Amino acid sequence: MKEIVAFLFLLLTTNLTYGQLGFCLGSKGLPIFNEDFGSGTTFGPQLPAGTTSYNYVSGTPNDGDYTISSQINLNNSWHNSQDHTPGDTNGKSLIVNASFTSGEFYKRTVTGLCVNTTFEFTAWLMNIYNSASVGACPGTGIPINVTFEIWDATETTLLESGSTGDINGTPTPIWEQFGLTFTTLAGQTSVVLIMKNNGAGGCGNDLAIDDIMFRSCGDFTIIATGPDNDTSFRACQDQLPTNISLNVFSEGTNLNVYQWQESDDNTIWTDIIGETTDSYVPTITATKFFRVKVAEDIANLANPFCFTVSEVFTVTVIPKPIAPPSNGNANICEGQPIPALSVTPATGEQVNWFDAPSAGNLLQANSTTFTPTLEGTYYAEAFVPNATCVSDTRTAVSFSVRESPIVTDGSATFCQGTFVNISAEIDNVDYLWSTGETTKTIRVTSAGTYTVTVTNDVGCSNVRTVTVSEILVPVIDQIIIDHRTVTITTTITGDYEYALDGLDYQDSNVFNNVIGGVRTAFVRNRCGRDIEDFDLIILPKFFTPNGDGYNDTFQIEGNSMLPKVKIAIFDRQGALIIYLDERNSSWDGTFNGNLLPATDYWYKANFTNGSEMKGHFSLIR
């Protein structure tokens, strides 16, 4: 019950966009009287005699005049606005230019009221003076100020009254609603509505009136059920028939009388015979709408203008959902992201996911998708939110991981000017090389990185990368001689073997203690070799002409070199001492039969190919 009281309090204290008089805050009945002044593009018609003391004009009203028109901006300083009635095409309103003398300007007798009943009177007003107009009136003009009075039919008893207070001109048109509530007395079925102008005539104080309405006003009433006082009820089709207990709650203290009604479409309502208390227990077999007519007098229940109705209580029967259609099983290859499984339930339904076709553990709630972490089959159950209504069966959706082909990267080489065959190294798959070829093995004639995508019969792929290098035939670049040390260099580095005179190949390109003469340098790899002849002149770095038979002369090592070279020997001052050639191949350290001193001497060797070599040696005694 606390929830109902709080709900009613919220409705009754909501900030309403009304003028500061009084409105019906409870349930309202059908309009007994509704004056919207009609529609059309012509002026009028004139109000019935006795309705107003103002003068009717078919045009722009002056002070003390009125008209009825769909056009409000009859004066250049008045707002260009539509009437208030919603959806009204060329709708009209009552346009009043206030008299210089304050007083009554509208009177209307309203009949057909019900006795001992509270009613609401409302009307919409606008100050039609446009304060944004230049030079029309000072400031916002003379404000409008209207008093509403409700009298008994004899106009001797004032039932209720209220004033709008000053309403100033505005730069934009603003319709504002004002109202009063009053209660008829015993035997009273009509009242007199009087509107009075409290302001003076002049520049401003011009108004439009529309949608004057009288209707019954009762306590705000709702229907609720269950321990939580729900204001609606939902049931699954397979739970029918079922009974529910409906109770009436009103915010006021009136001693009301009731008549329960039901409807299949929330439009056409039928009284439920005999149900006139504040509770009702219907048997639910289909979607239904319930409400109660509320009146302060039992005689008013038969008059559609004299009772109010409660808020509608809706009973919704929900068709039992079927298992939601699957959007397909998910099959991925190893290493791929795990996709979400999904189903598509019917509109208004939601899905829970389980690990079993019935019972089992709830894995995820309120979601049409589920992302598993392990392979397996998962089950989607449809349900209707806010109702115990689930599908009889669940939809199985599977997730599996397919094995991808196993490959390893590799490398291959080929000799310059040839080719190499490289392979995917796996059978019974589809192949797609980076070259566009689709065979297991391809022929390669250029160095580079080659890839092959292999795809097995379940559509899973992997990529093997093969790095191919070209082996070039070695080319000798230089033969560097340092006395008896010979170094062979090549134009590019590589995995080469080296030899002199084609004998005893070695990994090192340096040869030590080499005997002089005409020699041949060799370098090779598995793709070929290069050969270059060279002359190795070995001249002693010193000699000892002391007659001991060992190293007594300065001479070229290897007689084979003598035809190719002539060596000139000089002393420290550059004087030529001797030429050595194939006719005179050695020097004994003398000059013209005289022993030369022990010191350093220089030589210059000139080869028949035009090359030259210089150096020095020591004569030691």
Side-chain angles (χ1 to χ4, degrees):
M1 187 63 189
K2 290 181 180 179
E3 293 81 358
I4 293 295
V5 172
F7 177 64
L8 292 171
F9 177 77
L10 176 64
L11 290 171
L12 294 175
T13 55
T14 300
N15 183 26
L16 301 172
T17 57
Y18 299 138
Q20 299 303 310
L21 291 171
F23 288 89
C24 175
L25 299 180
S27 299
K28 301 178 183 181
L30 298 174
I32 295 176
F33 173 84
N34 186 13
E35 176 61 85
D36 63 5
F37 300 101
S39 61
T41 57
T42 61
F43 290 98
Q46 185 174 346
L47 293 174
T51 303
T52 181
S53 60
Y54 277 39
N55 179 54
Y56 170 76
V57 294
S58 295
T60 303
N62 294 316
D63 292 330
D65 294 339
Y66 82 94
T67 192
I68 295 176
S69 173
S70 61
Q71 183 179 358
I72 292 178
N73 61 331
L74 300 172
N75 185 303
N76 290 335
S77 63
W78 291 354
H79 285 302
N80 183 11
S81 172
Q82 302 293 320
D83 75 331
H84 172 265
T85 308
D88 208 2
T89 301
N90 295 319
K92 297 181 180 181
S93 59
L94 172 63
I95 301 172
V96 178
N97 191 328
S99 172
F100 285 102
T101 303
S102 61
E104 177 184 313
F105 69 90
Y106 184 89
K107 179 191 288 188
R108 189 68 177 260
T109 298
V110 179
T111 61
L113 303 181
C114 306
V115 299
N116 298 322
T117 301
T118 300
F119 287 90
E120 176 192 64
F121 151 76
T122 58
W124 289 86
L125 271 68
M126 180 202 300
N127 185 329
I128 61 177
Y129 173 65
N130 182 359
S131 62
S133 60
V134 178
C137 298
T140 57
I142 299 172
I144 67 171
N145 189 312
V146 177
T147 295
F148 304 103
E149 297 178 346
I150 307 295
W151 293 83
D152 68 349
T154 65
E155 297 186 42
T156 58
T157 302
L158 180 64
L159 301 180
E160 191 61 77
S161 68
S163 175
T164 64
D166 286 347
I167 304 174
N168 293 312
T170 57
T172 57
I174 300 175
W175 282 104
E176 191 171 4
Q177 189 182 34
F178 298 90
L180 294 171
T181 59
F182 63 94
T183 303
T184 57
L185 305 176
Q188 185 177 24
T189 60
S190 64
V191 295
V192 176
L193 165 67
I194 296 177
M195 298 186 193
K196 292 181 178 180
N197 167 38
N198 299 324
C203 196
N205 198 5
D206 306 314
L207 67 149
I209 302 173
D210 202 7
D211 293 327
I212 301 171
M213 182 184 298
F214 284 80
R215 57 183 171 179
S216 59
C217 173
D219 295 337
F220 184 81
T221 305
I222 64 170
I223 301 172
T225 187
D228 296 325
N229 290 316
D230 297 319
T231 55
S232 64
F233 178 76
R234 295 160 65 88
C236 192
Q237 198 170 34
D238 66 345
Q239 298 168 353
L240 302 181
T242 186
N243 296 325
I244 59 173
S245 179
L246 304 180
N247 299 288
V248 177
F249 295 93
S250 296
E251 52 85 13
T253 59
N254 292 335
L255 296 177
N256 295 315
V257 292
Y258 306 105
Q259 173 61 61
W260 286 84
Q261 292 186 306
E262 64 180 1
S263 173
D264 294 329
D265 58 5
N266 200 18
T267 300
I268 300 174
W269 292 90
T270 304
D271 289 348
I272 304 174
I273 305 301
E275 298 299 333
T276 58
T277 66
D278 61 0
S279 63
Y280 173 51
V281 181
T283 298
I284 305 303
T285 59
T287 293
K288 208 78 161 176
F289 302 91
F290 296 94
R291 72 180 187 184
V292 290
K293 297 190 295 187
V294 183
E296 299 175 45
D297 190 295
I298 193 169
N300 293 340
L301 287 175
N303 188 333
F305 301 114
C306 296
F307 61 77
T308 61
V309 293
S310 69
E311 298 296 293
V312 175
F313 185 95
T314 302
V315 174
T316 305
V317 174
I318 302 165
K320 192 171 185 63
I322 62 172
S326 170
N327 292 327
N329 296 327
N331 302 302
I332 66 170
C333 299
E334 293 173 322
Q336 291 180 336
I338 297 176
L341 307 180
S342 67
V343 293
T344 304
T347 302
E349 297 177 4
Q350 191 50 271
V351 174
N352 290 331
W353 292 84
F354 296 87
D355 59 1
S358 62
N361 298 306
L362 176 64
L363 302 178
Q364 184 164 326
N366 302 333
S367 177
T368 59
T369 63
F370 171 67
T371 302
T373 57
L374 299 172
E375 288 186 90
T377 300
Y378 301 89
Y379 302 87
E381 177 183 86
F383 71 93
V384 179
N386 303 317
T388 308
C389 204
V390 300
S391 57
D392 287 331
T393 60
R394 296 172 181 171
T395 299
V397 188
S398 298
F399 162 62
S400 62
V401 180
R402 295 170 172 173
E403 185 176 348
S404 297
I406 299 174
V407 298
T408 56
D409 294 340
S411 61
T413 60
F414 68 95
C415 293
Q416 180 181 2
T418 62
F419 65 89
V420 64
N421 290 323
I422 58 175
S423 172
E425 295 190 349
I426 184 172
D427 295 321
N428 301 317
V429 293
D430 293 330
Y431 311 95
L432 179 60
W433 289 87
S434 53
T435 62
E437 295 166 277
T438 57
T439 55
K440 177 182 177 181
T441 301
I442 64 172
R443 174 179 289 191
V444 171
T445 59
S446 299
T449 300
Y450 296 83
T451 60
V452 57
T453 300
V454 294
T455 305
N456 60 20
D457 56 359
V458 295
C460 293
S461 301
N462 214 334
V463 177
R464 166 175 161 80
T465 300
V466 182
T467 303
V468 177
S469 302
E470 181 182 22
I471 300 177
L472 301 177
V473 176
V475 176
I476 296 174
D477 183 32
Q478 297 183 70
I479 299 173
I480 302 170
I481 298 171
D482 181 13
H483 196 53
R484 292 186 181 277
T485 299
V486 175
T487 302
I488 304 171
T489 65
T490 55
T491 54
I492 59 173
T493 59
D495 185 15
Y496 303 141
E497 292 182 323
Y498 305 87
L500 291 179
D501 304 324
L503 303 173
D504 300 327
Y505 278 90
Q506 63 183 39
D507 293 332
S508 174
N509 65 334
V510 179
F511 297 86
N512 298 308
N513 300 316
V514 181
I515 297 174
V518 178
R519 313 303 301 268
T520 302
F522 288 80
V523 59
R524 72 179 181 183
N525 61 14
R526 68 180 181 86
C527 293
R529 68 178 186 177
D530 193 18
I531 301 173
E532 185 175 321
D533 295 330
F534 66 96
D535 296 326
L536 179 59
I537 299 174
I538 302 298
L539 294 173
K541 295 185 177 182
F542 67 89
F543 74 107
T544 56
N546 54 13
D548 62 0
Y550 178 75
N551 206 22
D552 285 333
T553 60
F554 179 86
Q555 61 182 10
I556 298 173
E557 184 177 298
N559 290 332
S560 62
M561 290 301 299
L562 289 176
K564 298 181 179 183
V565 66
K566 181 181 288 186
I567 299 173
I569 298 176
F570 306 87
D571 63 14
R572 296 173 66 92
Q573 286 71 39
L576 178 64
I577 298 174
I578 192 173
Y579 274 109
L580 300 180
D581 55 22
E582 58 183 334
R583 293 169 298 180
N584 184 19
S585 61
S586 64
W587 177 49
D588 59 3
T590 65
F591 182 72
N592 294 331
N594 298 314
L595 297 175
L596 293 179
T599 185
D600 285 346
Y601 295 86
W602 275 258
Y603 66 85
K604 182 171 68 172
N606 295 102
F607 294 87
T608 55
N609 62 4
S611 60
E612 183 179 82
M613 184 174 68
K614 295 180 181 180
H616 65 89
F617 61 92
S618 298
L619 189 158
I620 302 173
R621 293 192 183 278

